[in-house]
Amino acid sequence: MVVYELSEEQTNKVFRALADATRRDIVRRTLHAEVSISELAASYDMSFAAVQKHVAALEAAGLVNKIARGRERIVRGQPDTIRHAQELLSSLEDIWRQRISRLDDFLADETP
Amino acid sequence: MVVYELSEEQTNKVFRALADATRRDIVRRTLHAEVSISELAASYDMSFAAVQKHVAALEAAGLVNKIARGRERIVRGQPDTIRHAQELLSSLEDIWRQRISRLDDFLADETP
DNA sequence: GTATCGTACAACCAAATGGTTGTATATGAG
DNA sequence: CTCATATACAACCATTTGGTTGTACGATAC
């Protein structure tokens, strides 16, 4: 049930974007409800421009998108991209599980 | 069913470590089978020291560990840490699902 | 023993990252 | 219209990252 393939470069961006507590918090908040950039900026101890850059990194990764509403930009989380990241991690776990089951087979063969 | 809590800093390291194609490949290979650092280094178009640094980043993130075997260091993937990352992503997805179900409730209320 | 292999680690470098301030521009309020 | 708000974006800076080469050292092969 593979949905879409992310390029290596896109995958890098997704994980890179998630490797920062502020950005993870922005993702949480924008998945929970629609928030403007200035509302986000009010929450963090950094400049508006810094928050803007974090949102831009998340947008480039496809983890959020922005829509114009009046003079505000509403940031919305993109659950699909999170699912892509989950699928990649699941595929890693599958590799492990296959190894375990290979080991089980081996043991079943060797110890009759 | 929370297993362990990763500190923010550890979480950063995990996602940062996964934000690189070479490192993701190392994780895949070390989950599949035990591999020495020099075996890994032979696969990538970069110096031994560069691969060593990638392994060190993965080790600091808890995504692999190293054991000594003779003069070799065997690198082994750590599926538990991958599971931690998955749980974090799942918690983000849950936020989204809760929002959808709140929206459903609202619609059920408003449209009798 | 000596030579070689596998690893560790330091020093160095260019590029990317994560923050800042400052300026410009469009929208909404009064 | 004027003023304040929300955003965009450039320029700048310190730190981190991702690579390099070189040196050192323990373990194995011969």
Side-chain angles (χ1 to χ4, degrees):
Chain A
M1 209 174 76
V2 170
V3 183
Y4 237 84
E5 272 308 317
L6 254 51
S7 73
E8 293 278 48
E9 200 40 59
Q10 268 307 107
T11 305
N12 292 352
K13 283 183 186 169
V14 172
F15 284 117
R16 189 84 193 67
L18 290 169
D20 179 279
T22 300
R23 287 194 294 258
R24 285 192 300 273
D25 194 60
I26 292 176
V27 171
R28 271 182 224 108
R29 290 187 57 188
T30 57
L31 283 171
H32 183 267
E34 302 193 336
V35 200
S36 72
I37 299 185
S38 47
E39 282 171 329
L40 287 171
S43 316
Y44 307 111
D45 187 27
M46 64 184 72
S47 68
F48 177 87
V51 174
Q52 226 176 0
K53 280 196 187 183
H54 282 308
V55 171
L58 290 167
E59 195 180 19
L63 284 163
V64 305
N65 63 14
K66 288 190 294 186
I67 55 168
R69 181 134 83 204
R71 60 184 162 188
E72 297 185 332
R73 296 295 178 277
I74 303 300
V75 186
R76 302 181 301 181
Q78 298 266 89
D80 283 356
T81 302
I82 294 174
R83 194 178 309 276
H84 285 313
Q86 273 183 307
E87 281 167 15
L88 192 147
L89 296 184
S90 293
S91 76
L92 291 179
E93 272 219 293
D94 285 346
I95 291 172
W96 173 260
R97 268 193 286 273
Q98 284 167 25
R99 177 173 169 191
I100 296 301
S101 88
R102 269 188 290 126
L103 180 63
D104 286 349
D105 291 351
F106 172 76
L107 291 176
D109 263 21
E110 296 302 296
T111 63
Chain B
M1 211 174 68
V2 171
V3 184
Y4 236 84
E5 272 308 321
L6 253 52
S7 73
E8 293 278 46
E9 199 39 60
Q10 268 308 108
T11 305
N12 292 352
K13 284 184 188 170
V14 172
F15 285 116
R16 190 91 192 60
L18 289 169
D20 179 278
T22 301
R23 287 194 294 258
R24 284 193 300 274
D25 194 60
I26 291 175
V27 170
R28 269 180 226 111
R29 289 186 57 187
T30 57
L31 284 170
H32 183 268
E34 304 193 334
V35 200
S36 71
I37 300 186
S38 49
E39 282 171 330
L40 288 171
S43 315
Y44 307 111
D45 186 25
M46 63 184 74
S47 68
F48 177 88
V51 174
Q52 227 177 1
K53 280 195 185 182
H54 283 308
V55 171
L58 291 167
E59 194 179 18
L63 285 163
V64 305
N65 64 14
K66 288 190 294 186
I67 55 168
R69 183 135 79 205
R71 60 186 162 187
E72 296 185 333
R73 296 293 177 277
I74 304 298
V75 185
R76 302 180 302 181
Q78 298 265 92
D80 284 358
T81 302
I82 294 174
R83 193 178 306 277
H84 286 314
Q86 272 184 308
E87 282 168 13
L88 193 148
L89 296 185
S90 294
S91 76
L92 292 180
E93 272 220 292
D94 285 347
I95 291 172
W96 173 259
R97 269 193 286 272
Q98 284 166 27
R99 177 174 170 192
I100 297 300
S101 87
R102 270 188 291 126
L103 179 63
D104 286 349
D105 291 351
F106 172 78
L107 289 177
D109 264 25
E110 296 301 297
T111 63

